[in-house]
Amino acid sequence: MSDTMNRPDTFRIAIAQFNPTVGDVAGNLAKARDVRSQAAAAGADLVLFTELFLSGYPPEDLVLKRAFLRNCLAAVEQLAADTADGGPGVVIGFPRQGEKGRHNSVAVLDRGQIVATRDKIDLPNYGEFDEKRVFIAGEMPGPVNFRGVRIGIPVCEDIWGDLGVCETLAEAGAEILLVPNGSPYYRAKIDVRYQIALKQVIECGLPLVYANQVGGQDELVFDGASFAFNADKSLAFQMNQFEAELLVTTWKRSGDGWRCEERPIAHVPENEEADYRACMLGLRDYVNKNGFKSVVIGLSGGIDSALCAAIAVDALGAERVRTVMLPYRYTSESSFSDAAACAKALGCHYDIVPIGEPVDAFISALSELFEGTEPGVTEENLQARTRGTILMAISNKFGAMVVTTGNKSEMSVGYATLYGDMNGGFNPVKDLYKMQVYALSGWRNKNLPQGALGPAGEVIPANIISKAPSAELRPNQTDQDSLPPYPVLDDILECLVEQEMSVEEIVARGHDVATVHRIEHLLYLAEYKRRQSAPGVKITRKNFGRDRRYPITNRFRDR
């Protein structure tokens, strides 16, 4: 009897929310095989993996290499051969070389064969996405008959755009929509995904399963949080955020179509918890996937480095985190005690390396050249650059990646020193404004995140949070000597960066026009620094780098 005639009343779908590594085709295939074995043991009929799982997502220009595409196809064929065992079929993403170009594709595997392939149609080309550079759009798809169930497989952006992909699938007889995704995190992204998915459910009248990747890839963090809606718009299930897991769901057919039988609803973190866990996962995967055995952090006694140290210990464990205090004559006694207390609370290695002699040696070496000039920012930057050099020396000697610690407020206005405190391989707080740094620090002191390897309790001393922030590059210096109060600065920056508001609109919010003009000028002026900064976790809708691409040479000012 054909699958068309043999229409089952029960359909067990395993949602595979896992963490592939870009370029590790063999490793991703091994992971897929292991997950399929787990799904088989749980009685699944079909395993739904995420977008481009076998290549890792996003593979970017790797797909321009034919050898890479051949490896991915070979992995698909090997996984297809596995399905001859009579166990669950597979829906899995891979980059495919077609007759006219490369496609972002999914393969449906069953009974030892590649039953069907489907190509992504709506290729995103905004923010962090640039798929039109490397892929071509597929043709409008029809449903795939899988063991008597007509499944529609729109790929990620296919449900976000207005091309009518889901509507076409429904009209062609699809009974359920299975959507593989590579949707990166930003704050409150889950609510946005719900709205997009519900819109398709309402328009098509079909249940929709949204499977999303989890894990860090350079600046992007994929947060998982896979879910499904029944055709009546009820939430069928919700998986965990920031955690790799397999969920086997049972769907029952009735006169109204397919409906999920059980409703496991996982807790979804909000606000500071979600941001903190994104930073933690992003740092962990960047360090581990790039083969670093440990990290080193310049622990100044300030809040940014303290939060980075906490994130690092939570992500990697205290034994993989080395902190270094690098004092100069302007370093306060409270900074000494605060840094030591922070390292002790976190349980990580702590060293003190004074920088007085090398800084004074630089000043001495330049004394003849600088004769007749007044000491100023140049001498201050020598301190930062000496610290950066020492941290890089420790990195070279012990193989520990330097974690850089500048927040988004500082990176926005150039309040950072190239080849100094900007040195480093990765920055977990790069996309957090200063007030968000305070908020996450306060949250961490009261909460131990799920999956954290660090200790519970207060790990960032209260004095670090309460004292006025300072770079301590001259006597009695505070950040507010050079910058507006951080609540004011952050609001202006969010208006300029996230919302692209005009000066007139920002002033209408109650800000001083001269201050707004000054911050706008500093924002544009610091573009050359940001181009040379370490990558860092994307937290906001518009991070520096992938999302916001302004020219370095730029004379525009909103006057």
Side-chain angles (χ1 to χ4, degrees):
M1 183 178 293
S2 71
D3 280 348
T4 304
M5 297 296 292
N6 182 21
R7 295 172 62 76
D9 294 325
T10 301
F11 189 28
R12 303 202 75 203
I13 305 171
I15 294 84
Q17 177 179 290
F18 286 91
N19 187 347
T21 299
V22 168
D24 185 10
V25 180
N28 296 337
L29 173 60
K31 188 170 293 185
R33 283 173 155 165
D34 179 62
V35 170
R36 181 176 177 272
S37 295
Q38 296 176 45
D45 298 308
L46 180 68
V47 187
L48 174 62
F49 285 89
T50 52
E51 182 176 12
L52 293 179
F53 184 87
L54 286 172
S55 62
Y57 185 78
E60 302 186 274
D61 285 10
L62 271 177
V63 300
L64 301 180
K65 292 188 173 293
R66 289 187 175 272
F68 181 69
L69 295 177
R70 287 195 295 269
N71 285 356
C72 291
L73 178 59
V76 173
E77 292 170 342
Q78 292 174 58
L79 191 57
D82 292 351
T83 64
D85 63 6
V90 170
V91 174
I92 194 161
F94 76 109
R96 184 179 73 85
Q97 180 65 52
E99 293 182 3
K100 298 180 180 179
R102 294 170 301 274
H103 293 279
N104 179 337
S105 302
V106 293
V108 182
L109 315 177
D110 195 28
R111 297 173 182 172
Q113 298 181 341
I114 301 174
V115 176
T117 58
R118 291 294 184 266
D119 303 322
K120 189 174 185 178
I121 296 169
D122 198 348
L123 300 174
N125 196 44
Y126 59 86
E128 64 267 33
F129 303 111
D130 201 6
E131 291 194 18
K132 289 182 179 178
R133 283 187 67 250
V134 294
F135 292 122
I136 63 171
E139 297 179 357
M140 196 64 77
V144 178
N145 191 325
F146 177 82
R147 301 183 186 179
V149 182
R150 294 188 300 274
I151 58 175
I153 314 175
V155 181
C156 198
E157 194 76 11
D158 288 346
I159 73 169
W160 290 67
D162 297 320
L163 298 182
V165 179
C166 294
E167 185 178 1
T168 298
L169 286 166
E171 291 173 350
E175 301 172 69
I176 186 169
L177 300 175
L178 306 183
V179 190
N181 295 272
S183 178
Y185 174 82
Y186 60 69
R187 195 174 296 121
K189 182 74 169 285
I190 289 179
D191 294 336
V192 179
R193 294 184 192 132
Y194 275 5
Q195 293 167 13
I196 295 297
L198 277 172
K199 179 176 182 288
Q200 298 297 346
V201 170
I202 292 168
E203 291 181 357
C204 300
L206 298 177
L208 184 150
V209 180
Y210 188 104
N212 192 33
Q213 178 175 312
V214 69
Q217 171 59 28
D218 297 344
E219 302 101 315
L220 303 179
V221 170
F222 297 90
D223 56 314
S226 303
F227 63 89
F229 283 112
N230 290 306
D232 64 2
K233 300 177 288 185
S234 62
L235 185 64
F237 65 81
Q238 173 63 65
M239 294 173 68
N240 285 303
Q241 193 175 23
F242 305 112
E243 296 177 35
E245 62 175 326
L246 179 71
L247 177 67
V248 180
T249 61
T250 302
W251 295 75
K252 294 288 188 179
R253 187 202 297 271
S254 68
D256 297 325
W258 291 99
R259 183 177 181 84
C260 191
E261 193 172 58
E262 68 276 7
R263 296 185 60 191
I265 307 296
H267 163 70
V268 176
E270 296 180 354
N271 304 324
E272 285 80 21
E273 180 183 0
D275 287 353
Y276 191 96
R277 291 181 65 183
C279 293
M280 196 170 78
L281 178 57
L283 178 62
R284 174 185 292 154
D285 274 1
Y286 191 87
V287 170
N288 290 340
K289 289 181 178 182
N290 286 292
F292 294 104
K293 61 184 180 181
S294 61
V295 298
V296 59
I297 301 172
L299 197 61
S300 67
I303 193 165
D304 299 313
S305 62
L307 178 61
C308 286
I311 292 170
V313 169
D314 285 340
L316 305 170
E319 70 281 359
R320 297 178 67 189
V321 179
R322 175 190 290 263
T323 60
V324 185
M325 159 59 86
L326 299 152
Y328 189 55
R329 66 183 63 154
Y330 306 127
T331 302
S332 66
E333 287 300 320
S334 67
S335 291
F336 269 108
S337 58
D338 291 340
C342 183
K344 182 178 180 181
L346 289 167
C348 57
H349 190 89
Y350 177 68
D351 292 303
I352 299 175
V353 180
I355 66 167
E357 288 187 13
V359 171
D360 292 346
F362 275 122
I363 292 172
S364 176
L366 292 164
S367 60
E368 184 175 344
L369 188 64
F370 287 2
E371 187 176 358
T373 65
E374 291 296 320
V377 173
T378 300
E379 286 73 17
E380 293 178 14
N381 286 344
L382 277 174
Q383 299 168 49
R385 290 186 172 122
T386 301
R387 291 183 172 112
T389 298
I390 291 172
L391 288 173
M392 290 308 300
I394 294 170
S395 173
N396 291 158
K397 179 64 69 174
F398 299 108
M401 185 196 77
V402 177
V403 172
T404 187
T405 62
N407 61 67
K408 191 171 187 177
S409 303
E410 295 171 353
M411 295 303 297
S412 295
V413 296
Y415 199 69
T417 305
L418 272 175
Y419 326 119
D421 54 312
M422 288 178 64
N423 277 3
F426 195 77
N427 182 352
V429 301
K430 182 179 180 179
D431 203 30
L432 292 173
Y433 289 107
K434 187 73 169 190
M435 296 310 297
Q436 292 164 351
V437 169
Y438 280 109
L440 263 63
S441 299
W443 179 87
R444 176 58 181 88
N445 276 348
K446 298 175 182 177
N447 302 274
L448 183 64
Q450 177 72 25
L453 301 177
E458 184 178 279
V459 293
I460 300 175
N463 191 55
I464 290 180
I465 297 175
S466 63
K467 69 183 178 183
S470 171
E472 293 192 328
L473 299 175
R474 61 177 181 267
N476 304 313
Q477 181 185 26
T478 67
D479 291 1
Q480 309 305 224
D481 297 341
S482 309
L483 301 171
Y486 278 113
V488 173
L489 176 63
D490 287 359
D491 188 65
I492 294 173
L493 288 171
E494 287 195 48
C495 292
L496 288 169
V497 176
E498 266 72 51
Q499 301 178 50
E500 298 286 3
M501 290 171 62
S502 68
V503 168
E504 183 180 10
E505 291 172 311
I506 300 171
V507 171
R509 292 168 63 91
H511 292 293
D512 172 67
V513 64
T515 301
V516 177
H517 279 150
R518 177 169 170 259
I519 299 307
E520 181 209 32
H521 178 68
L522 292 174
L523 175 66
Y524 288 146
L525 206 62
E527 185 64 35
Y528 80 101
K529 289 187 177 182
R530 290 189 292 270
R531 292 285 184 93
Q532 301 178 67
S533 65
V537 177
K538 172 182 166 67
I539 295 294
T540 67
R541 282 178 177 260
K542 188 172 286 190
N543 74 335
F544 291 125
R546 286 181 177 267
D547 295 335
R548 186 181 187 277
R549 307 177 193 183
Y550 270 68
I552 295 174
T553 304
N554 169 24
R555 289 191 177 182
F556 174 76
R557 301 294 184 268
D558 184 4
R559 298 294 185 263

